[in-house]
Amino acid sequence: MATNPTQYAHPEALVETDWLEKHLKDDGIRIVESNEDVLLYGTGHIPGAVHIDWRADLQDPVIRDYIAPETFAELCSKNGITPDTTCVFYGDKANWWACYALWAFRLFGHGKVKILNGGRDKWKAEQRPMTRDVPKYPKTNYSVPKKRFDKEIRAFADEALAQSESGKPLIDVRSPGEFKGEVTHMPEYPQEGVLRGGHIPGAKSMPWKTATNDDNTFKSAPELAKIYFEQCGVKPETETVVYCRIGERSSHTWFVLTYLLGLDNVRNYDGSWTEWGNKVGAPIEKGA
Amino acid sequence: MYPPKLDKIINLFESLPEDERRETLVSYADNAKKQEPREGEKFDLEDVRKDEECADTVGVYLYVEENGKTHIRMTLGPEVQTLTRAMAAILCKSLDGCTPQEILDLPSDFVTRIVGSELVRIRSQTIYYVLTRIKGVCKVYLDRQRMARAEVA
């Protein structure tokens, strides 16, 4: 894997708005909208897109974890998705939740996943078709995934601590104020019950937004390589852990590192700061 | 217990299944622009600000008639979420004609009855914002009235 790439490692993981408009009715593709704004899908969406909510559909309703493999199979079946379906994710907020949903699909081993470059805002800005019609697809029989790939792409608090203690790359993708411990949530967002501010010792601050252009599309491969390989010290041969507040912004960075830069050893610590900042005895650094 | 217009809206939402409840919220959100100040309107109080609790700037405009009846208008920045837009439209419409004190005395439990337990569960942090802002402007108005009366006395 080159650390000075001239193009994305997996360009097939991204689709452009123009391409998607021409392939809206393709068999084998399911467009999936995932937003922060819970009612946004109802105000209009890409024709044929189904809605998957990060909290209602992907998270366990009781304990802080993801749904069980059986529930994931039901979710896919209900939305006409088979294990061979290519899911094209898009959403608001520069695709944070789309990347989060994609990452969750990968947790269950769903392999054919793509992101719509620029997300919902770019699609809308280009005045491409939107509809309020909610599509109905024949129910499929998605087989229950045999395992969840937690070990491969997800980090837990103990693993984040080990990463911190070993000095391996640990990237905090929150805003600078959150990293320094001046605030415990990003500007414009409610406090979500975090008792302490700061960052995991040894973490490098690289806000998720650094990876995107003004139109929410991803920066070029050479630009991304400069940010993550040169500035963050990420190395292809060393494991990297990314985190944010609840795992959504770090899913965006996880997608960049995994699919655009081609690293195969990046894990998302989805417990993130809402776990770490409340955890008794967890070491914290403050300041830049 | 609730102003008649609000009571009617609460009953409507409580009668709806979840899908229709969400569709109705989206319809209200679509109409949120109709609650913006109209040309020539003057207000006793204007409170336009960007709070941490909300994704964009929200303006609340209060006009109180001599008989004490209030009229509320709101402006919402483009990033304001759909649920907040819906609540703005619902509250501007349903509280029109109440007195500031009546608005201030409103218990906030009706919000969850409109929004529904499922949306409360998944997005509980955003549902009270508009009511809090409207109550805030009513409180400032009443405090000013009290101070003005005290000065006269």
Side-chain angles (χ1 to χ4, degrees), chain A residues 35-40 42-43 53-56 61 132 185 188-190 192, chain B residues 22 25-26 30 50-55 81-83 118-119 121-123 125:
Chain A
N35 298 316
E36 178 170 283
D37 182 337
V38 69
L39 295 175
L40 194 58
T43 69
D53 186 77
W54 62 277
R55 187 172 278 180
R132 289 193 175 193
H185 55 95
E188 288 108 49
Y189 279 74
E192 287 184 297
Chain B
R22 290 187 187 206
L25 284 168
V26 168
D30 287 342
K50 164 82 194 67
D51 286 320
E52 284 185 346
E53 293 91 330
C54 194
Q81 296 213 344
T82 311
L83 190 51
E118 177 61 12
L119 284 179
R121 184 179 75 78
I122 60 178
R123 299 292 195 277
Q125 68 270 43

mmCIF file of all heavy atoms in Angstrom, chain A residues 35-40 42-43 53-56 61 132 185 188-190 192, chain B residues 22 25-26 30 50-55 81-83 118-119 121-123 125:
data_model
loop_
_atom_site.group_PDB
_atom_site.id
_atom_site.type_symbol
_atom_site.label_atom_id
_atom_site.label_comp_id
_atom_site.label_asym_id
_atom_site.label_seq_id
_atom_site.Cartn_x
_atom_site.Cartn_y
_atom_site.Cartn_z
ATOM 1 N N ASN A 35 -29.642 9.731 8.141
ATOM 2 C CA ASN A 35 -29.486 11.140 8.507
ATOM 3 C C ASN A 35 -29.369 11.347 9.997
ATOM 4 O O ASN A 35 -29.790 10.509 10.789
ATOM 5 C CB ASN A 35 -30.724 11.934 8.055
ATOM 6 C CG ASN A 35 -30.917 11.909 6.562
ATOM 7 O OD1 ASN A 35 -29.971 12.066 5.802
ATOM 8 N ND2 ASN A 35 -32.149 11.711 6.133
ATOM 9 N N GLU A 36 -28.885 12.523 10.341
ATOM 10 C CA GLU A 36 -29.010 12.947 11.725
ATOM 11 C C GLU A 36 -30.434 13.454 11.973
ATOM 12 O O GLU A 36 -31.034 13.184 13.008
ATOM 13 C CB GLU A 36 -28.018 14.072 11.985
ATOM 14 C CG GLU A 36 -28.143 14.595 13.394
ATOM 15 C CD GLU A 36 -27.018 15.525 13.700
ATOM 16 O OE1 GLU A 36 -25.919 15.030 13.947
ATOM 17 O OE2 GLU A 36 -27.238 16.740 13.674
ATOM 18 N N ASP A 37 -30.968 14.206 11.005
ATOM 19 C CA ASP A 37 -32.322 14.762 11.095
ATOM 20 C C ASP A 37 -33.318 13.623 10.871
ATOM 21 O O ASP A 37 -33.495 13.134 9.752
ATOM 22 C CB ASP A 37 -32.467 15.845 10.022
ATOM 23 C CG ASP A 37 -33.829 16.527 10.058
ATOM 24 O OD1 ASP A 37 -34.789 15.927 10.571
ATOM 25 O OD2 ASP A 37 -33.920 17.656 9.550
ATOM 26 N N VAL A 38 -33.995 13.241 11.938
ATOM 27 C CA VAL A 38 -34.798 12.020 11.911
ATOM 28 C C VAL A 38 -35.974 12.078 10.937
ATOM 29 O O VAL A 38 -36.424 11.049 10.437
ATOM 30 C CB VAL A 38 -35.257 11.676 13.353
ATOM 31 C CG1 VAL A 38 -36.277 12.682 13.854
ATOM 32 C CG2 VAL A 38 -35.812 10.282 13.452
ATOM 33 N N LEU A 39 -36.466 13.290 10.638
ATOM 34 C CA LEU A 39 -37.622 13.399 9.736
ATOM 35 C C LEU A 39 -37.242 13.840 8.328
ATOM 36 O O LEU A 39 -38.112 14.025 7.480
ATOM 37 C CB LEU A 39 -38.642 14.387 10.317
ATOM 38 C CG LEU A 39 -39.313 13.972 11.633
ATOM 39 C CD1 LEU A 39 -40.211 15.107 12.144
ATOM 40 C CD2 LEU A 39 -40.130 12.706 11.465
ATOM 41 N N LEU A 40 -35.961 14.013 8.087
ATOM 42 C CA LEU A 40 -35.526 14.588 6.804
ATOM 43 C C LEU A 40 -35.927 13.726 5.607
ATOM 44 O O LEU A 40 -36.335 14.246 4.561
ATOM 45 C CB LEU A 40 -34.004 14.799 6.827
ATOM 46 C CG LEU A 40 -33.419 15.679 5.737
ATOM 47 C CD1 LEU A 40 -34.030 17.075 5.748
ATOM 48 C CD2 LEU A 40 -31.903 15.793 5.898
ATOM 49 N N GLY A 42 -38.510 12.046 5.169
ATOM 50 C CA GLY A 42 -39.927 12.303 4.862
ATOM 51 C C GLY A 42 -40.161 13.589 4.097
ATOM 52 O O GLY A 42 -41.215 13.769 3.468
ATOM 53 N N THR A 43 -39.191 14.508 4.120
ATOM 54 C CA THR A 43 -39.365 15.768 3.385
ATOM 55 C C THR A 43 -38.953 15.623 1.918
ATOM 56 O O THR A 43 -39.100 16.546 1.135
ATOM 57 C CB THR A 43 -38.527 16.912 4.014
ATOM 58 O OG1 THR A 43 -37.128 16.631 3.791
ATOM 59 C CG2 THR A 43 -38.782 17.050 5.497
ATOM 60 N N ASP A 53 -32.434 4.415 10.012
ATOM 61 C CA ASP A 53 -32.073 5.367 11.060
ATOM 62 C C ASP A 53 -30.984 4.764 11.940
ATOM 63 O O ASP A 53 -31.099 3.619 12.383
ATOM 64 C CB ASP A 53 -33.304 5.704 11.906
ATOM 65 C CG ASP A 53 -33.000 6.794 12.920
ATOM 66 O OD1 ASP A 53 -32.932 7.966 12.517
ATOM 67 O OD2 ASP A 53 -32.798 6.471 14.114
ATOM 68 N N TRP A 54 -29.954 5.566 12.192
ATOM 69 C CA TRP A 54 -28.795 5.060 12.944
ATOM 70 C C TRP A 54 -29.176 4.587 14.335
ATOM 71 O O TRP A 54 -28.596 3.645 14.859
ATOM 72 C CB TRP A 54 -27.701 6.122 13.021
ATOM 73 C CG TRP A 54 -28.086 7.372 13.734
ATOM 74 C CD1 TRP A 54 -28.770 8.434 13.208
ATOM 75 C CD2 TRP A 54 -27.820 7.717 15.094
ATOM 76 N NE1 TRP A 54 -28.940 9.407 14.152
ATOM 77 C CE2 TRP A 54 -28.366 8.998 15.321
ATOM 78 C CE3 TRP A 54 -27.164 7.080 16.145
ATOM 79 C CZ2 TRP A 54 -28.298 9.655 16.545
ATOM 80 C CZ3 TRP A 54 -27.082 7.725 17.377
ATOM 81 C CH2 TRP A 54 -27.646 8.992 17.572
ATOM 82 N N ARG A 55 -30.137 5.242 14.941
ATOM 83 C CA ARG A 55 -30.464 4.829 16.299
ATOM 84 C C ARG A 55 -31.618 3.825 16.321
ATOM 85 O O ARG A 55 -31.511 2.757 16.909
ATOM 86 C CB ARG A 55 -30.800 6.056 17.149
ATOM 87 C CG ARG A 55 -30.989 5.693 18.607
ATOM 88 C CD ARG A 55 -31.131 6.890 19.483
ATOM 89 N NE ARG A 55 -29.843 7.472 19.828
ATOM 90 C CZ ARG A 55 -29.715 8.541 20.592
ATOM 91 N NH1 ARG A 55 -30.767 9.155 21.067
ATOM 92 N NH2 ARG A 55 -28.528 9.024 20.873
ATOM 93 N N ALA A 56 -32.717 4.167 15.650
ATOM 94 C CA ALA A 56 -33.904 3.302 15.707
ATOM 95 C C ALA A 56 -33.664 1.946 15.049
ATOM 96 O O ALA A 56 -34.176 0.925 15.511
ATOM 97 C CB ALA A 56 -35.083 3.998 15.058
ATOM 98 N N PRO A 61 -32.229 -1.307 21.277
ATOM 99 C CA PRO A 61 -33.056 -0.317 21.986
ATOM 100 C C PRO A 61 -32.799 -0.254 23.494
ATOM 101 O O PRO A 61 -33.206 0.697 24.146
ATOM 102 C CB PRO A 61 -34.491 -0.774 21.701
ATOM 103 C CG PRO A 61 -34.376 -2.215 21.356
ATOM 104 C CD PRO A 61 -33.031 -2.412 20.741
ATOM 105 N N ARG A 132 -41.155 12.148 -2.484
ATOM 106 C CA ARG A 132 -41.636 11.762 -1.147
ATOM 107 C C ARG A 132 -42.238 10.357 -1.171
ATOM 108 O O ARG A 132 -42.699 9.874 -0.153
ATOM 109 C CB ARG A 132 -42.659 12.775 -0.643
ATOM 110 C CG ARG A 132 -42.032 14.094 -0.285
ATOM 111 C CD ARG A 132 -42.972 14.983 0.497
ATOM 112 N NE ARG A 132 -42.265 16.185 0.912
ATOM 113 C CZ ARG A 132 -42.708 17.041 1.802
ATOM 114 N NH1 ARG A 132 -43.870 16.850 2.378
ATOM 115 N NH2 ARG A 132 -41.998 18.111 2.124
ATOM 116 N N HIS A 185 -18.970 18.773 23.988
ATOM 117 C CA HIS A 185 -19.761 18.421 22.804
ATOM 118 C C HIS A 185 -19.406 19.426 21.737
ATOM 119 O O HIS A 185 -18.873 20.493 22.033
ATOM 120 C CB HIS A 185 -21.261 18.464 23.102
ATOM 121 C CG HIS A 185 -21.708 19.780 23.671
ATOM 122 N ND1 HIS A 185 -22.213 20.786 22.893
ATOM 123 C CD2 HIS A 185 -21.667 20.265 24.945
ATOM 124 C CE1 HIS A 185 -22.492 21.826 23.672
ATOM 125 N NE2 HIS A 185 -22.169 21.531 24.911
ATOM 126 N N GLU A 188 -23.093 23.728 18.547
ATOM 127 C CA GLU A 188 -24.421 23.489 17.968
ATOM 128 C C GLU A 188 -25.050 22.172 18.416
ATOM 129 O O GLU A 188 -26.114 21.807 17.955
ATOM 130 C CB GLU A 188 -24.439 23.481 16.434
ATOM 131 C CG GLU A 188 -24.254 24.833 15.803
ATOM 132 C CD GLU A 188 -22.895 24.955 15.164
ATOM 133 O OE1 GLU A 188 -22.535 24.038 14.422
ATOM 134 O OE2 GLU A 188 -22.226 25.952 15.432
ATOM 135 N N TYR A 189 -24.390 21.441 19.269
ATOM 136 C CA TYR A 189 -24.952 20.149 19.667
ATOM 137 C C TYR A 189 -25.193 20.094 21.157
ATOM 138 O O TYR A 189 -24.478 20.725 21.928
ATOM 139 C CB TYR A 189 -24.024 19.005 19.245
ATOM 140 C CG TYR A 189 -24.223 18.667 17.805
ATOM 141 C CD1 TYR A 189 -23.748 19.507 16.819
ATOM 142 C CD2 TYR A 189 -24.943 17.555 17.440
ATOM 143 C CE1 TYR A 189 -23.968 19.234 15.490
ATOM 144 C CE2 TYR A 189 -25.168 17.263 16.114
ATOM 145 C CZ TYR A 189 -24.674 18.110 15.143
ATOM 146 O OH TYR A 189 -24.908 17.837 13.831
ATOM 147 N N PRO A 190 -26.233 19.338 21.546
ATOM 148 C CA PRO A 190 -26.521 19.260 22.971
ATOM 149 C C PRO A 190 -25.468 18.463 23.732
ATOM 150 O O PRO A 190 -24.812 17.596 23.158
ATOM 151 C CB PRO A 190 -27.860 18.525 23.009
ATOM 152 C CG PRO A 190 -27.943 17.778 21.734
ATOM 153 C CD PRO A 190 -27.151 18.563 20.729
ATOM 154 N N GLU A 192 -24.339 15.599 25.832
ATOM 155 C CA GLU A 192 -24.921 14.276 25.919
ATOM 156 C C GLU A 192 -24.440 13.530 27.160
ATOM 157 O O GLU A 192 -24.200 12.342 27.134
ATOM 158 C CB GLU A 192 -24.647 13.479 24.651
ATOM 159 C CG GLU A 192 -25.488 14.006 23.511
ATOM 160 C CD GLU A 192 -25.335 13.212 22.249
ATOM 161 O OE1 GLU A 192 -24.224 13.185 21.720
ATOM 162 O OE2 GLU A 192 -26.326 12.641 21.790
ATOM 163 N N ARG B 22 -45.582 10.929 11.764
ATOM 164 C CA ARG B 22 -44.372 11.506 11.160
ATOM 165 C C ARG B 22 -44.710 12.307 9.911
ATOM 166 O O ARG B 22 -44.153 13.379 9.677
ATOM 167 C CB ARG B 22 -43.367 10.399 10.833
ATOM 168 C CG ARG B 22 -42.775 9.805 12.081
ATOM 169 C CD ARG B 22 -41.659 8.848 11.772
ATOM 170 N NE ARG B 22 -41.229 8.179 12.998
ATOM 171 C CZ ARG B 22 -40.032 7.685 13.198
ATOM 172 N NH1 ARG B 22 -39.123 7.759 12.260
ATOM 173 N NH2 ARG B 22 -39.717 7.090 14.326
ATOM 174 N N LEU B 25 -46.074 15.563 11.018
ATOM 175 C CA LEU B 25 -44.997 16.444 11.490
ATOM 176 C C LEU B 25 -44.263 17.072 10.309
ATOM 177 O O LEU B 25 -43.947 18.263 10.317
ATOM 178 C CB LEU B 25 -44.012 15.662 12.368
ATOM 179 C CG LEU B 25 -44.478 15.335 13.789
ATOM 180 C CD1 LEU B 25 -43.539 14.324 14.448
ATOM 181 C CD2 LEU B 25 -44.558 16.598 14.652
ATOM 182 N N VAL B 26 -44.021 16.271 9.276
ATOM 183 C CA VAL B 26 -43.343 16.796 8.082
ATOM 184 C C VAL B 26 -44.219 17.866 7.412
ATOM 185 O O VAL B 26 -43.721 18.901 6.958
ATOM 186 C CB VAL B 26 -42.999 15.652 7.095
ATOM 187 C CG1 VAL B 26 -42.557 16.194 5.739
ATOM 188 C CG2 VAL B 26 -41.894 14.765 7.681
ATOM 189 N N ASP B 30 -43.193 21.636 6.686
ATOM 190 C CA ASP B 30 -43.295 22.285 5.368
ATOM 191 C C ASP B 30 -43.879 23.692 5.475
ATOM 192 O O ASP B 30 -43.588 24.567 4.673
ATOM 193 C CB ASP B 30 -44.229 21.472 4.450
ATOM 194 C CG ASP B 30 -43.584 20.174 3.979
ATOM 195 O OD1 ASP B 30 -42.355 20.059 4.054
ATOM 196 O OD2 ASP B 30 -44.325 19.283 3.524
ATOM 197 N N LYS B 50 -28.476 32.052 18.016
ATOM 198 C CA LYS B 50 -28.005 30.711 17.688
ATOM 199 C C LYS B 50 -27.580 30.063 18.995
ATOM 200 O O LYS B 50 -26.663 30.544 19.654
ATOM 201 C CB LYS B 50 -26.831 30.851 16.713
ATOM 202 C CG LYS B 50 -25.965 29.658 16.533
ATOM 203 C CD LYS B 50 -26.576 28.679 15.558
ATOM 204 C CE LYS B 50 -25.870 27.367 15.648
ATOM 205 N NZ LYS B 50 -26.061 26.671 16.920
ATOM 206 N N ASP B 51 -28.268 29.007 19.371
ATOM 207 C CA ASP B 51 -27.953 28.309 20.619
ATOM 208 C C ASP B 51 -27.203 27.021 20.340
ATOM 209 O O ASP B 51 -27.308 26.455 19.255
ATOM 210 C CB ASP B 51 -29.244 27.940 21.360
ATOM 211 C CG ASP B 51 -29.883 29.143 21.996
ATOM 212 O OD1 ASP B 51 -29.149 29.980 22.533
ATOM 213 O OD2 ASP B 51 -31.125 29.250 21.927
ATOM 214 N N GLU B 52 -26.531 26.542 21.367
ATOM 215 C CA GLU B 52 -25.843 25.254 21.220
ATOM 216 C C GLU B 52 -26.809 24.109 20.993
ATOM 217 O O GLU B 52 -26.482 23.116 20.367
ATOM 218 C CB GLU B 52 -25.010 24.974 22.471
ATOM 219 C CG GLU B 52 -23.741 25.804 22.507
ATOM 220 C CD GLU B 52 -22.859 25.452 23.678
ATOM 221 O OE1 GLU B 52 -23.347 24.778 24.592
ATOM 222 O OE2 GLU B 52 -21.690 25.856 23.659
ATOM 223 N N GLU B 53 -28.030 24.251 21.518
ATOM 224 C CA GLU B 53 -28.995 23.155 21.410
ATOM 225 C C GLU B 53 -29.566 22.997 20.015
ATOM 226 O O GLU B 53 -30.267 22.026 19.741
ATOM 227 C CB GLU B 53 -30.173 23.379 22.374
ATOM 228 C CG GLU B 53 -29.805 23.303 23.825
ATOM 229 C CD GLU B 53 -29.432 24.670 24.387
ATOM 230 O OE1 GLU B 53 -28.924 25.513 23.616
ATOM 231 O OE2 GLU B 53 -29.630 24.869 25.592
ATOM 232 N N CYS B 54 -29.340 23.982 19.157
ATOM 233 C CA CYS B 54 -29.982 23.925 17.846
ATOM 234 C C CYS B 54 -28.938 24.109 16.739
ATOM 235 O O CYS B 54 -27.946 24.809 16.918
ATOM 236 C CB CYS B 54 -31.056 24.999 17.758
ATOM 237 S SG CYS B 54 -32.150 24.759 16.359
ATOM 238 N N ALA B 55 -29.208 23.484 15.595
ATOM 239 C CA ALA B 55 -28.225 23.469 14.511
ATOM 240 C C ALA B 55 -28.087 24.805 13.775
ATOM 241 O O ALA B 55 -27.154 24.982 13.003
ATOM 242 C CB ALA B 55 -28.591 22.369 13.514
ATOM 243 N N GLN B 81 -33.400 21.511 12.123
ATOM 244 C CA GLN B 81 -33.908 20.172 11.793
ATOM 245 C C GLN B 81 -35.424 20.146 11.626
ATOM 246 O O GLN B 81 -36.143 21.002 12.142
ATOM 247 C CB GLN B 81 -33.480 19.197 12.893
ATOM 248 C CG GLN B 81 -31.975 19.069 12.954
ATOM 249 C CD GLN B 81 -31.513 17.690 13.366
ATOM 250 O OE1 GLN B 81 -32.270 16.892 13.880
ATOM 251 N NE2 GLN B 81 -30.251 17.406 13.132
ATOM 252 N N THR B 82 -35.876 19.142 10.903
ATOM 253 C CA THR B 82 -37.286 19.038 10.520
ATOM 254 C C THR B 82 -38.208 18.997 11.742
ATOM 255 O O THR B 82 -39.263 19.639 11.743
ATOM 256 C CB THR B 82 -37.481 17.774 9.659
ATOM 257 O OG1 THR B 82 -36.480 17.766 8.640
ATOM 258 C CG2 THR B 82 -38.844 17.761 9.007
ATOM 259 N N LEU B 83 -37.804 18.265 12.769
ATOM 260 C CA LEU B 83 -38.644 18.168 13.962
ATOM 261 C C LEU B 83 -38.792 19.528 14.643
ATOM 262 O O LEU B 83 -39.874 19.886 15.118
ATOM 263 C CB LEU B 83 -38.014 17.148 14.925
ATOM 264 C CG LEU B 83 -38.824 16.700 16.127
ATOM 265 C CD1 LEU B 83 -40.211 16.237 15.738
ATOM 266 C CD2 LEU B 83 -38.089 15.569 16.851
ATOM 267 N N GLU B 118 -41.692 7.121 20.252
ATOM 268 C CA GLU B 118 -40.589 6.605 19.436
ATOM 269 C C GLU B 118 -39.590 7.718 19.088
ATOM 270 O O GLU B 118 -38.380 7.547 19.227
ATOM 271 C CB GLU B 118 -41.153 5.968 18.152
ATOM 272 C CG GLU B 118 -40.112 5.456 17.167
ATOM 273 C CD GLU B 118 -39.211 4.356 17.716
ATOM 274 O OE1 GLU B 118 -39.501 3.806 18.793
ATOM 275 O OE2 GLU B 118 -38.190 4.066 17.056
ATOM 276 N N LEU B 119 -40.110 8.859 18.645
ATOM 277 C CA LEU B 119 -39.206 9.975 18.321
ATOM 278 C C LEU B 119 -38.562 10.546 19.581
ATOM 279 O O LEU B 119 -37.421 10.990 19.543
ATOM 280 C CB LEU B 119 -39.944 11.075 17.559
ATOM 281 C CG LEU B 119 -40.228 10.793 16.080
ATOM 282 C CD1 LEU B 119 -40.982 11.950 15.455
ATOM 283 C CD2 LEU B 119 -38.933 10.559 15.317
ATOM 284 N N ARG B 121 -37.727 8.816 22.125
ATOM 285 C CA ARG B 121 -36.665 7.870 22.489
ATOM 286 C C ARG B 121 -35.399 8.109 21.667
ATOM 287 O O ARG B 121 -34.293 8.107 22.203
ATOM 288 C CB ARG B 121 -37.161 6.433 22.276
ATOM 289 C CG ARG B 121 -36.171 5.358 22.722
ATOM 290 C CD ARG B 121 -36.743 3.969 22.507
ATOM 291 N NE ARG B 121 -36.736 3.559 21.118
ATOM 292 C CZ ARG B 121 -35.653 3.122 20.462
ATOM 293 N NH1 ARG B 121 -34.496 3.056 21.062
ATOM 294 N NH2 ARG B 121 -35.736 2.763 19.185
ATOM 295 N N ILE B 122 -35.594 8.348 20.375
ATOM 296 C CA ILE B 122 -34.388 8.424 19.540
ATOM 297 C C ILE B 122 -33.808 9.832 19.398
ATOM 298 O O ILE B 122 -32.666 9.975 19.021
ATOM 299 C CB ILE B 122 -34.599 7.766 18.151
ATOM 300 C CG1 ILE B 122 -35.713 8.426 17.353
ATOM 301 C CG2 ILE B 122 -34.878 6.291 18.295
ATOM 302 C CD1 ILE B 122 -35.902 7.824 15.969
ATOM 303 N N ARG B 123 -34.599 10.855 19.683
ATOM 304 C CA ARG B 123 -34.055 12.218 19.554
ATOM 305 C C ARG B 123 -34.542 13.116 20.689
ATOM 306 O O ARG B 123 -34.980 14.235 20.458
ATOM 307 C CB ARG B 123 -34.492 12.837 18.213
ATOM 308 C CG ARG B 123 -34.037 12.129 16.967
ATOM 309 C CD ARG B 123 -32.530 12.207 16.759
ATOM 310 N NE ARG B 123 -32.201 11.835 15.415
ATOM 311 C CZ ARG B 123 -32.054 10.578 14.988
ATOM 312 N NH1 ARG B 123 -32.238 9.576 15.812
ATOM 313 N NH2 ARG B 123 -31.735 10.333 13.724
ATOM 314 N N GLN B 125 -33.265 14.969 22.822
ATOM 315 C CA GLN B 125 -32.608 16.223 23.189
ATOM 316 C C GLN B 125 -33.116 17.442 22.425
ATOM 317 O O GLN B 125 -32.828 18.558 22.793
ATOM 318 C CB GLN B 125 -31.078 16.107 23.060
ATOM 319 C CG GLN B 125 -30.541 15.951 21.660
ATOM 320 C CD GLN B 125 -30.438 14.503 21.243
ATOM 321 O OE1 GLN B 125 -31.339 13.713 21.487
ATOM 322 N NE2 GLN B 125 -29.355 14.138 20.588
#
